[in-house]
Amino acid sequence: MINMMKLSKSLLPTGLLCCAMAAVLAACSSEDALTPDFKNPSENFMPAADDQSAEAQLRRQFFGETGSYLLFNDTIQRQLLGTDINGQQRYFIETVDLTYSVGQSGTMNSTYSFTLLETQEQRQTVTDFLRQYVLPHLTGRLRPYSWLLCNVINSYANSYSAPSKPYSVSNQRCIAVAGNFLIQRERTDAQKEQLAQRILNGVVGQLAANNSSAFSEFFKFSASYYSIDYSRLGYDDRPSQADLYRLGFLSSTSISSFPSMTTDLGVYALLVIQNTDEQLAARYGSYPIILEKAAVVRRVMTDLGYVF
């Protein structure tokens, strides 16, 4: 078989070959250089550069002091795309989606809506509370990416149910906090401390899950059981509470399987911020695996930046 590459090259005069190669190189060099089209998503969590309102200045000051972004509205991006065939303006709108986490395998059942803080005085009141009573507990790697401070959080389990009104809700990049308790009337320090604890109770599991790689020692205790059906381990029914304690599980909401890794970690993270070591020993002294797992979680939470 004739090698067509060699044939075509041999039939092409040397001068013409050089001209052709030069033309190709010139065409390549004349093309515009590729430039990355990337916008840092963190910019959406900050006020516009030309916004000098009191709210914008408060948000910038908060970020400068804490390293976390501060939001008073769940809309973080609103871009005009153009107009439709009816002449109506069309926008791309991005909101803080508290039902989403990177890598999740399914969707959360609950949906959320928010009523906003209406005045700058209200925004300042809730921000000051956050600084004084909540943030001192969350340092280092446990410092949240952003906070959404609002009046009321409405949580809907489905489209037919009445909403519940949690004190806080969190995902990987945002913690929403309801401030209506604070703005209704003046509260005592004790009442504010109690509210702060309720907020921390609602978010500490997510903060631990955000740093799950740091809890490898904790997961080893129950690695053989996570998400395994009870029947696979010889149980005809849900294990008794004593059996769960013996295996190192504080509870199991499933009727058919042991808790997942994330659920187990969340339960223990809540346990250690609500109880001292002495209280845990008094309650679970007959179950050494529980005490060992709790000790690991307390140590790791401290290393990550939780201040008890």
Side-chain angles (χ1 to χ4, degrees), residues 208 211-223 226 261 265 293 296-297 299-300 304:
N211 296 275
S212 59
S213 61
F215 291 90
S216 58
E217 183 181 352
F218 167 81
F219 293 132
K220 289 178 182 178
F221 286 97
S222 303
Y226 287 131
M261 296 170 64
L265 176 58
K293 290 174 71 172
V296 170
V297 170
R299 174 174 54 78
V300 175
L304 290 173

Side-chain angles (χ1 to χ4, degrees), residues 65-105:
E65 292 175 354
T66 70
S68 297
Y69 297 101
L70 183 63
L71 304 172
F72 295 106
N73 192 310
D74 64 328
T75 299
I76 58 175
Q77 187 176 176
R78 187 173 186 267
Q79 295 183 1
L80 179 64
L81 298 177
T83 57
D84 59 22
I85 58 175
N86 298 314
Q88 299 294 319
Q89 291 183 330
R90 298 173 57 250
Y91 290 89
F92 168 74
I93 298 176
E94 181 184 5
T95 61
V96 174
D97 183 3
L98 294 176
T99 68
Y100 175 77
S101 292
V102 175
Q104 70 183 27
S105 57

Side-chain angles (χ1 to χ4, degrees), residues 104-181:
Q104 70 183 27
S105 57
T107 58
M108 296 175 63
N109 293 327
S110 297
T111 58
Y112 301 96
S113 66
F114 311 91
T115 60
L116 305 182
L117 299 168
E118 296 180 350
T119 67
Q120 185 60 22
E121 180 181 5
Q122 291 177 349
R123 291 187 280 268
Q124 187 71 58
T125 295
V126 182
T127 302
D128 289 345
F129 160 79
L130 189 69
R131 279 197 186 105
Q132 185 173 353
Y133 292 92
V134 179
L135 292 185
H137 294 281
L138 305 176
T139 67
R141 289 169 58 184
L142 290 183
R143 182 184 296 115
Y145 180 79
S146 67
W147 296 90
L148 168 61
L149 305 188
C150 59
N151 185 356
V152 176
I153 303 171
N154 296 298
S155 174
Y156 302 87
N158 54 59
S159 58
Y160 306 103
S161 63
S164 62
K165 301 183 185 301
Y167 295 101
S168 60
V169 180
S170 61
N171 72 357
Q172 285 180 310
R173 69 173 184 174
C174 188
I175 295 177
V177 171
N180 57 312
F181 179 81

Side-chain angles (χ1 to χ4, degrees), residues 129-277:
F129 160 79
L130 189 69
R131 279 197 186 105
Q132 185 173 353
Y133 292 92
V134 179
L135 292 185
H137 294 281
L138 305 176
T139 67
R141 289 169 58 184
L142 290 183
R143 182 184 296 115
Y145 180 79
S146 67
W147 296 90
L148 168 61
L149 305 188
C150 59
N151 185 356
V152 176
I153 303 171
N154 296 298
S155 174
Y156 302 87
N158 54 59
S159 58
Y160 306 103
S161 63
S164 62
K165 301 183 185 301
Y167 295 101
S168 60
V169 180
S170 61
N171 72 357
Q172 285 180 310
R173 69 173 184 174
C174 188
I175 295 177
V177 171
N180 57 312
F181 179 81
L182 297 166
I183 64 178
Q184 290 170 350
R185 61 180 179 273
E186 185 64 31
R187 301 294 182 177
T188 66
D189 288 342
Q191 289 173 321
K192 292 176 181 179
E193 290 282 4
Q194 186 177 44
L195 176 61
Q197 188 60 53
R198 289 174 175 171
I199 291 170
L200 292 167
N201 291 348
V203 305
V204 69
Q206 178 67 58
L207 294 175
N210 291 349
N211 296 275
S212 59
S213 61
F215 291 90
S216 58
E217 183 181 352
F218 167 81
F219 293 132
K220 289 178 182 178
F221 286 97
S222 303
S224 300
Y225 299 97
Y226 287 131
S227 301
I228 297 296
D229 288 348
Y230 301 137
S231 58
R232 287 182 55 186
L233 297 177
Y235 291 96
D236 295 328
D237 202 351
R238 183 181 184 275
S240 67
Q241 190 64 63
D243 280 344
L244 288 171
Y245 283 174
R246 180 176 55 80
L247 296 173
F249 292 108
L250 294 167
S251 64
S252 178
T253 57
S254 172
I255 62 173
S256 61
S257 62
F258 288 98
S260 67
M261 296 170 64
T262 301
T263 299
D264 192 34
L265 176 58
V267 169
Y268 269 90
L270 181 59
L271 180 77
V272 299
I273 73 166
Q274 291 182 326
N275 298 273
T276 65
D277 289 336

